[in-house]
Amino acid sequence: MEAVIETSNLTKTFLLGDTVVRALDGVSLSVAKGEKVAITGPSGSGKSTLMNILGCLGRPDAGDYILAGEVVSRLSGRRLAQIRNRYIGFVFQTFNLLPRLSALENVELPLLYGGARDARQRARAALEIVGLSERMGHGPNQLSGGQRQRAAIARAIVTDPAILLADEPTGNLDTKTGQEIMALFDELNAQGRTVIMVTHDPEISAQCPRRIHLRDGRVAELMARESR
Ligand code: ADP
Ligand code: MG
């Protein structure tokens, strides 16, 4: 299987006062194209730090990250942003929608950075895919939590990225709404997108064919891929 994500020996430390926090301590992993992977582990185990690096939002101190065949671990600034825009859709626990913009305008944003001319039309199509056509003129504070996360997912897929990363996407939702969001990720994964999501919820990670467990910034166990 072709690996779309490959890391070797990623490390990342933070300075907290005069304490060095080793957030990632040699993470090597590989994710094949089209896989759906859950990243689990206790709070503070490095999940978000890893996701930020995988999503090209941050860089490791050392180690390699190869994304779609290109070494990106030492890229910075503009070039890293271009790679992110091309390959990655990122979904956050707290949605991170801009409060003064409508759902439609929020979803358009990534396309406007890229200078696309058909932004409005593509944003509408993305909102339709997530089932939010009726609400696209509403602002985030006029939407329920589940609807906000749908809008955020539309924003993540509007550039048609090969990889969807989600950091605790159901963490702020009730169980039923969380399941609906999971079903949406399943659909997007079935269409061929690689999905990697952090979750605390054992019920949700159980629904992923593969789980990568982090502990103290290391991969603690890598369960065998089961066939779907
Ligand atoms: P998780 O998402 O698994 O809860 P994180 O990746 O957020 O874990 O954090 C891993 C460790 O790195 C924690 O000890 C956390 O306090 C520390 N950390 C993360 N980001 C920063 C930062 N920006 N500054 C200082 N310490 C950080
Ligand atoms: Mg986290």
Side-chain angles (χ1 to χ4, degrees):
M1 264 280 231
E2 192 189 335
V4 69
I5 279 177
E6 220 173 337
T7 77
S8 79
N9 229 6
L10 291 180
T11 64
K12 180 86 181 181
T13 54
F14 294 105
L15 208 54
L16 207 61
D18 47 13
T19 314
V20 176
V21 179
R22 196 165 279 277
L24 296 181
D25 189 14
V27 171
S28 302
L29 55 85
S30 162
V31 176
K33 207 170 164 214
E35 262 197 298
K36 179 181 163 202
V37 181
I39 296 188
T40 61
S43 182
S45 59
K47 303 182 299 294
S48 292
T49 304
L50 176 62
M51 291 295 272
N52 285 346
I53 292 172
L54 296 183
C56 299
L57 295 165
R59 279 195 300 168
D61 297 333
D64 279 327
Y65 175 23
I66 299 161
L67 171 60
E70 185 175 353
V71 181
V72 298
S73 22
R74 279 175 289 273
L75 298 178
S76 62
R78 215 180 129 84
R79 185 75 189 115
L80 194 61
Q82 283 171 347
I83 297 273
R84 181 197 315 141
N85 215 32
R86 172 151 173 219
Y87 290 107
I88 307 284
F90 210 113
V91 176
F92 303 88
Q93 177 174 0
T94 51
F95 323 127
N96 294 12
L97 298 166
L98 295 181
R100 294 187 184 282
L101 300 184
S102 69
L104 183 61
E105 289 164 336
N106 268 284
V107 175
E108 262 182 317
L109 270 187
L111 294 173
L112 298 179
Y113 294 133
R117 253 180 281 161
D118 50 356
R120 177 116 320 174
Q121 196 187 324
R122 284 166 66 186
R124 281 212 177 89
L127 282 157
E128 215 158 281
I129 289 171
V130 303
L132 213 60
S133 307
E134 316 283 276
R135 291 289 153 100
M136 55 178 121
H138 290 59
N141 58 14
Q142 297 170 300
L143 300 174
S144 69
Q147 288 169 341
R148 286 179 203 185
Q149 196 57 301
R150 284 177 190 278
I153 292 169
R155 181 183 56 189
I157 63 172
V158 75
T159 52
D160 199 21
I163 302 164
L164 269 181
L165 301 177
D167 194 349
E168 309 220 27
T170 65
N172 280 18
L173 304 175
D174 63 76
T175 308
K176 179 169 171 287
T177 308
Q179 285 297 342
E180 289 165 6
I181 292 297
M182 282 304 295
L184 181 53
F185 277 111
D186 281 345
E187 255 176 66
L188 298 169
N189 176 237
Q191 290 162 7
R193 291 180 185 82
T194 307
V195 173
I196 305 176
M197 76 169 61
V198 170
T199 181
H200 259 124
D201 186 337
E203 242 174 81
I204 284 178
S205 62
Q207 291 166 25
C208 288
R210 181 174 166 212
R211 292 173 286 278
I212 295 174
H213 192 72
L214 289 187
R215 184 178 298 275
D216 300 329
R218 293 165 167 270
V219 176
E221 65 205 65
L222 202 56
M223 294 185 200
R225 284 169 217 174
E226 298 150 27
S227 58
R228 265 181 283 176

